[in-house]
Amino acid sequence: MSLMSQSIASGILIGGLYALMSLGMSLNWGVLKIINLAHFSFILLSAYVTYQLASVYGWDPFLAIIVTVPLFALGGMALQWAFERFRISEFESLLLTFGLFIIFESLATSVWSADFRRIDSAANPYASSSLTIGPISLSIPTLSAFVLAIGIAFGTRYLLEQTHFGRAVRALAHDREIAGAFGVNHRTVSMQLAGLAGAYAALAGVFIAMSSSLFPGIAVEWFGIVFSVVILGGLGSTMGTLLAGVIIGTVGAIATVVWGPSTAPLVVFLILIATLLFKPDGLLGAKGGI
Amino acid sequence: MADLRFTGIGKRFGGVRALDGVDGHVDEGEILGLVGPNGSGKSTLINVLSGHYAADDGSITYGEANLTDLPPHRIIETGLARTYQIPRPFSTMTALENVSVPFMFGANPLSPQTARESAMEWLAFTGLDSLANEPIDSLNLHQLKYLELARALAARPKLLFLDEVLSGLNPTEITASIEMVRRIHSSGITIVIVEHLVRVVTELASRIMVLDRGKVIADGDPTLVMQDDAVVTAYLGKRSKRAEG
Amino acid sequence: MTTTNRNTSLITLAFALVLWFMPSVRETLDFPVFFLLFGYSLFFWIAQASSWNTFTGFSGYFSFGQGAFFGAGVYSVAVLAVKRDWPLLFTFLVGGLVAAVIGLIIGVVVFRLRKLRGEIFALMTLAVAFVMASVARVSPAIDGGQGVPVNTVELPEFLGDFPTMIFRLGLIVATFAVITAQSVQRSRLGWGLFSIRDDEDVAETLGVPTFRFKITALLLTAFIAGISGAIHSLQIGYVTIEDVFSIRVPLFVILMSILGGTKHWMGPVVGAVVVVTLNDRLNRAGFQEISDLITGGLLILMIVAVKEGLYLRMRARPLRTAVGFTAGLVIGFALGALDESLITLVAYGLGIAVLAVMLPLSWFARSEPAVTDDVEEVASHG
């Protein structure tokens, strides 16, 4: 029983990380109508940069944030600029970023090789530290990611609902032309939003570097989880994404305990298929509505 | 006799009732004009009758055939065809290829080769034969509207819905298009025409049906109908509202 | 849209017949065995890309599911021929059928729901491939995570030695795939699919049985991809889930088709020949990572700049293509490519020809169809 409760607790926490990985993707898709597979590359590269800073230059892994967040926020903005420049449709974005994804993966391979890389335990004291509550122990990196994900989800919701920027974004998600008529400069707003999505990818990457081993092919393995969270949560829905992340994390953890670790992806993909078939607008029924 | 009959047609979009219990009929050989203010449901009615949308309520029969639950691709086999208000050509095909597609389907499908030959006749009928092998993006609006017509005729209809074929055209083009509609009608095709330009409809149609807010408010002889109180209010009421706003 | 007629398929068949005797004349003409294996590689990718394009290119429904159909074929042989000793040739057919059944299930479920269009359909097919990989990994009867040695299976003797056998099997499937694509393109099915790609609602109201046509095309795609995958299991030798269900197969069929052009059966063929040849040479020269970079870069370049694909562009600029190819051959010859292999020389020719048709055009201007403006104008009036 304690195994089960431990797994569920870990599942909920890892769900926070899933939400963090998925939130940027969801905003990109829901608001900007861009399916950005390069988002996965941003997470991957951010993780590798964190690894590099911590292992080679001896930084505290948390400090990597000051490098990766601005770096990938800029990356997101640059990409969005290019999408606007070449008038890439929603559909073409999928293919185009597929090409980018391949390029980034091969870049990562040539810089960091195809072998497993992990931050040395000396440089990463957090990996082995955990918070123990009764019979349950919670790993610090995952716990931090979970807390941060909640903070970011609520922060983003506040940003989108209460600020001028948020109103512009919602207008954009609803109807680009009408938004333009009300003075929303969609190029500026969408670049800002893409920058935000890039920053979230960077944060997710930092926590992944702190908690697990890296290899270039790992990014493909995130496809299933992130798309499940994005679709289940509803495109562009911050609270939906958070909720969906926790659900996917928990269900995956339960499946691991009950049927073995290799069944977790199967369950996740079945959830994705079921969502696409029966609830394509996602859990909270948001459709670009945020 | 193949008459189109529809009763109790209802169609909702979200909370809006676009059509609310519409009854009516189209008799073989007539030109029926369908008019009404913006948003009155004219285009929706054509979309429902041609199978583009499924009706939420009501039933449709054409001659012996019950169209109510027929999938759209079967409806055209019974002899109903339509044009789109905003031309929707197949954008990667040439003009000729656009018109040859309907010949390959429907009640008596032709092989792609024969379909091309037959398509050429309708292109010539609409005066587009010189553009047969041009890509779609080299056609102007007037030509696209004619292409819509040629493509609908290629489905060999007995009854043709024309959804605002004149909108966006200049006066000379309108005159030519009216002539075209007359020629189509005289070849034995029943016509339902939806049009913004009420004067054109009264000139062409042998009968007029007026829709307002999803309901039929008048039906009958063109000149009489256009003097009907309810019709006048539907049009003028809207206009006075617009003046206030 | 350009038409293709019966003669095209007869020519294809005649061409295939000539290729059939390649292995027989290998010793007389004195070319290395590697040519046969390289030929097989071409055939395999031509079959995969053509089959993918028959559904996706023609109908516009983007499928990431090629890996699922391919994988169904591979694992049909791995399970039935290796683990259960079914006759090998029969398991090829079964592989095609299993893939077709999976295609049928996807089609019936997905096409019933009209909401599932565009990118959602693409995701759905991706998810199906992932599910299949997970099922295979979990189930010991299929794989169980250990991999299956297909190289232990006994090969039918009448097919000759391995290079000859795989060359001819690949040739049969590639020919079948290409002729299928040609037949679809010139038939009512093809025209129906093109009209679905351009405007599905209009197609349906003009009498195109869209549901049936989409299912038919998806079945053809899945069946060919399945058979081709079944044969490919012999080439792989030791099949593992990671390899079979990797992103490689969907990536390459998409790249090849988009590179060559999706609107004509010849597009995927051109794309496959270019990508396989250049990829093979780059890998051989030790530039594995560069070849991935080029793959990704080409995909981006095509989407941004050359939407109609290489084939239609080459046909529109035959002179430039010919000059480019010849120049490539000359340059390659001068650099001593022929000393290494004939394939290297051809790779030079293809590479320069591709550059020649692509380079001098303005990459950064997208041509806007003039119609859109008119239509928008009407829409705002109406």
Side-chain angles (χ1 to χ4, degrees):
Chain A
M1 200 56 230
S2 78
L3 176 65
M4 185 53 113
S5 49
Q6 171 67 51
S7 299
I8 291 177
S10 311
I12 292 174
L13 290 196
I14 199 91
L17 182 60
Y18 292 169
L20 196 54
M21 294 165 76
S22 310
L23 195 55
M25 167 74 85
S26 185
L27 290 177
N28 263 326
W29 192 353
V31 179
L32 304 179
K33 316 292 176 217
I34 294 286
I35 306 172
N36 186 9
L37 295 182
H39 188 76
F40 295 101
S41 313
F42 285 1
I43 301 176
L44 181 75
L45 292 180
S46 166
Y48 269 119
V49 169
T50 307
Y51 159 82
Q52 185 77 12
L53 292 174
S55 277
V56 181
Y57 304 113
W59 288 34
D60 184 298
F62 272 115
L63 269 184
I65 288 174
I66 61 170
V67 174
T68 60
V69 167
L71 184 63
F72 292 102
L74 277 178
M77 291 170 89
L79 257 188
Q80 183 60 30
W81 177 86
F83 290 146
E84 300 271 345
R85 172 68 184 78
F86 295 112
R87 302 201 204 166
I88 297 300
S89 71
E90 184 170 6
F91 196 65
E92 290 163 350
S93 72
L94 185 63
L95 282 178
L96 198 150
T97 55
F98 193 25
L100 282 177
F101 178 81
I102 300 300
I103 290 178
F104 285 130
E105 186 177 314
S106 86
L107 279 180
T109 312
S110 55
V111 178
W112 289 284
S113 88
D115 301 333
F116 284 95
R117 291 292 166 102
R118 194 182 179 97
I119 306 177
D120 302 332
S121 44
N124 184 15
Y126 309 107
S128 48
S129 58
S130 55
L131 180 70
T132 310
I133 307 169
I136 298 171
S137 93
L138 307 170
S139 104
I140 293 295
T142 332
L143 184 62
S144 327
F146 180 74
V147 172
L148 188 72
I150 292 180
I152 281 185
F154 278 92
T156 310
R157 189 161 95 136
Y158 173 82
L159 190 68
L160 293 178
E161 286 185 355
Q162 306 293 333
T163 64
H164 180 72
F165 168 72
R167 275 189 292 277
V169 168
R170 280 183 297 151
L172 207 60
H174 188 69
D175 189 319
R176 186 163 285 205
E177 270 172 38
I178 292 178
F182 283 97
V184 174
N185 181 341
H186 79 88
R187 190 163 287 198
T188 315
V189 173
S190 48
M191 276 177 67
Q192 287 166 340
L193 192 69
L196 198 63
Y200 294 166
L203 287 174
V206 170
F207 288 105
I208 286 171
M210 284 165 66
S211 53
S212 54
S213 300
L214 303 174
F215 62 100
I218 197 175
V220 177
E221 296 179 6
W222 297 331
F223 275 35
I225 287 168
V226 170
F227 279 124
S228 303
V229 173
V230 168
I231 299 285
L232 185 65
L235 297 183
S237 163
T238 45
M239 288 299 122
T241 305
L242 184 62
L243 185 62
V246 170
I247 290 176
I248 297 281
T250 314
V251 170
I254 294 176
T256 302
V257 174
V258 179
W259 297 298
S262 50
T263 59
L266 182 59
V267 174
V268 169
F269 299 135
L270 289 177
I271 293 179
L272 173 58
I273 291 180
T275 315
L276 285 173
L277 290 180
F278 303 114
K279 216 155 173 19
D281 288 345
L283 275 180
L284 304 183
K287 192 159 187 191
I290 301 170
Chain B
M1 285 303 264
D3 296 341
L4 179 73
R5 301 192 172 276
F6 44 98
T7 46
I9 302 293
K11 180 73 193 169
R12 285 174 300 274
F13 296 105
V16 184
R17 282 184 166 275
L19 294 174
D20 188 3
V22 174
D23 300 332
H25 60 98
V26 183
D27 302 328
E28 187 172 332
E30 73 174 335
I31 299 184
L32 172 66
L34 202 53
V35 299
N38 263 336
S40 58
K42 322 179 284 279
S43 279
T44 311
L45 183 59
I46 284 205
N47 280 324
V48 167
L49 293 177
S50 65
H52 193 85
Y53 298 148
D56 296 324
D57 313 294
S59 67
I60 309 164
T61 59
Y62 183 54
E64 301 293 304
N66 183 355
L67 307 186
T68 318
D69 295 317
L70 225 49
H73 71 266
R74 299 286 309 281
I75 288 178
I76 205 157
E77 289 175 17
T78 65
L80 299 189
R82 54 100 38 104
T83 63
Y84 287 87
Q85 178 182 353
I86 298 167
R88 288 171 71 169
F90 297 127
S91 55
T92 62
M93 302 183 193
T94 64
L96 181 65
E97 287 164 345
N98 260 279
V99 181
S100 61
V101 167
F103 277 112
M104 299 177 214
F105 300 94
N108 300 300
L110 304 179
S111 75
Q113 193 49 46
T114 10
R116 282 175 91 83
E117 289 153 18
S118 309
M120 204 58 207
E121 293 171 25
W122 285 115
L123 273 184
F125 178 80
T126 47
L128 295 175
D129 39 347
S130 60
L131 300 168
N133 294 314
E134 295 294 318
I136 288 307
D137 50 16
S138 65
L139 270 60
N140 65 29
L141 177 64
H142 180 60
Q143 290 159 342
L144 285 173
K145 293 245 170 190
Y146 274 18
L147 187 67
E148 277 285 322
L149 265 180
R151 194 173 61 177
L153 290 168
R156 291 142 292 171
K158 288 179 279 188
L159 193 165
L160 181 59
F161 296 100
L162 301 176
D163 193 357
E164 308 224 0
V165 279
L166 308 177
S167 69
L169 300 185
N170 67 35
T172 331
E173 292 167 344
I174 288 179
T175 316
S177 301
I178 292 176
E179 201 41 52
M180 177 77 66
V181 174
R182 287 225 168 88
R183 271 163 58 206
I184 294 169
H185 180 245
S186 61
S187 75
I189 296 173
T190 308
I191 286 178
V192 177
I193 182 164
V194 168
E195 201 43 76
H196 231 68
L197 305 165
V198 176
R199 235 170 312 163
V200 173
V201 184
T202 40
E203 190 187 324
L204 266 172
S206 47
R207 180 165 67 91
I208 281 189
M209 209 168 125
V210 188
L211 281 174
D212 186 33
R213 277 169 263 169
K215 290 185 183 269
V216 181
I217 56 167
D219 182 350
D221 177 82
T223 39
L224 293 180
V225 161
M226 293 320 286
Q227 288 160 4
D228 184 287
D229 280 348
V231 176
V232 174
T233 325
Y235 273 94
L236 294 185
K238 193 178 167 64
R239 197 164 294 164
S240 56
K241 237 184 225 163
R242 195 178 282 165
E244 285 163 25
Chain C
M1 202 68 42
T2 32
T3 44
T4 166
N5 56 35
R6 251 167 251 283
N7 291 340
T8 323
S9 296
L10 285 177
I11 293 168
T12 309
L13 211 54
F15 189 61
L17 207 62
V18 172
L19 288 175
W20 178 267
F21 292 105
M22 278 270 288
S24 325
V25 298
R26 188 180 71 76
E27 282 175 9
T28 328
L29 293 182
D30 190 31
F31 58 80
V33 176
F34 173 75
F35 275 31
L36 297 184
L37 297 175
F38 178 76
Y40 167 72
S41 187
L42 284 177
F43 298 150
F44 168 71
W45 286 108
I46 288 174
Q48 288 291 340
S50 296
S51 80
W52 180 81
N53 198 55
T54 302
F55 172 69
T56 291
F58 290 177
S59 79
Y61 272 83
F62 211 86
S63 160
F64 275 115
Q66 194 72 9
F69 304 141
F70 163 78
V74 172
Y75 270 95
S76 293
V77 174
V79 171
L80 299 175
V82 178
K83 297 189 172 183
R84 297 181 194 272
D85 291 324
W86 288 25
L88 183 65
L89 293 181
F90 181 63
T91 61
F92 292 165
L93 190 64
V94 175
L97 292 176
V98 169
V101 168
I102 291 167
L104 185 68
I105 295 171
I106 298 178
V108 168
V109 172
V110 173
F111 296 146
R112 283 261 172 244
L113 301 169
R114 304 190 86 193
K115 283 179 282 195
L116 286 186
R117 286 193 176 175
E119 55 295 324
I120 299 288
F121 176 80
L123 264 192
M124 187 77 187
T125 53
L126 185 68
V128 169
F130 282 144
V131 165
M132 287 179 55
S134 309
V135 169
R137 186 175 285 119
V138 170
S139 156
I142 301 173
D143 180 297
Q146 305 300 311
V148 184
V150 176
N151 44 18
T152 59
V153 81
E154 206 167 304
L155 305 174
E157 266 178 33
F158 69 92
L159 287 171
D161 58 0
F162 184 81
T164 305
M165 177 200 72
I166 200 98
F167 179 89
R168 286 187 171 154
L169 288 175
L171 176 63
I172 294 174
V173 180
T175 310
F176 181 62
V178 168
I179 290 184
T180 303
Q182 292 166 345
S183 319
V184 169
Q185 186 171 332
R186 65 164 176 262
S187 68
R188 294 172 62 237
L189 174 60
W191 286 101
L193 294 172
F194 302 149
S195 58
I196 289 170
R197 179 185 62 202
D198 283 356
D199 193 328
E200 183 164 357
D201 289 334
V202 172
E204 174 80 23
T205 43
L206 284 177
V208 179
T210 53
F211 179 75
R212 206 175 70 219
F213 274 21
K214 286 184 289 184
I215 295 265
T216 310
L218 189 58
L219 279 180
L220 286 173
T221 289
F223 180 72
I224 294 170
I227 289 200
S228 161
I231 291 169
H232 199 64
S233 65
L234 301 179
Q235 170 75 6
I236 304 173
Y238 196 92
V239 306
T240 61
I241 290 163
E242 287 69 27
D243 280 348
V244 171
F245 290 101
S246 79
I247 205 81
R248 198 178 151 77
V249 170
L251 167 66
F252 272 81
V253 293
I254 290 168
L255 172 72
M256 289 164 180
S257 303
I258 290 193
L259 182 70
T262 56
K263 296 189 170 104
H264 194 283
W265 64 267
M266 193 66 182
V269 176
V270 169
V273 170
V274 169
V275 172
V276 170
T277 309
L278 296 184
N279 217 37
D280 179 83
R281 290 298 107 180
L282 284 171
N283 284 351
R284 198 153 295 265
F287 297 122
Q288 169 67 46
E289 276 144 27
I290 293 186
S291 93
D292 275 359
L293 279 181
I294 292 179
T295 307
L298 269 180
L299 188 57
I300 295 172
L301 189 64
M302 295 310 289
I303 290 161
V304 173
V306 199
K307 295 199 183 208
E308 77 268 35
L310 279 181
Y311 172 66
L312 290 182
R313 186 163 275 198
M314 283 175 165
R315 233 177 49 167
R317 302 173 173 76
L319 187 66
R320 205 182 292 186
T321 312
V323 170
F325 189 71
T326 318
L329 291 183
V330 172
I331 294 171
F333 191 76
L335 293 177
L338 197 56
D339 300 340
E340 190 191 331
S341 168
L342 183 64
I343 300 174
T344 314
L345 188 65
V346 173
Y348 271 100
L350 285 176
I352 306 288
V354 168
L355 285 181
V357 292
M358 278 169 40
L359 261 180
L361 295 162
S362 61
W363 288 5
F364 300 102
R366 263 187 61 176
S367 59
E368 289 296 321
V371 197
T372 21
D373 293 335
D374 287 352
V375 171
E376 272 162 17
E377 207 174 285
V378 180
S380 60
H381 286 192

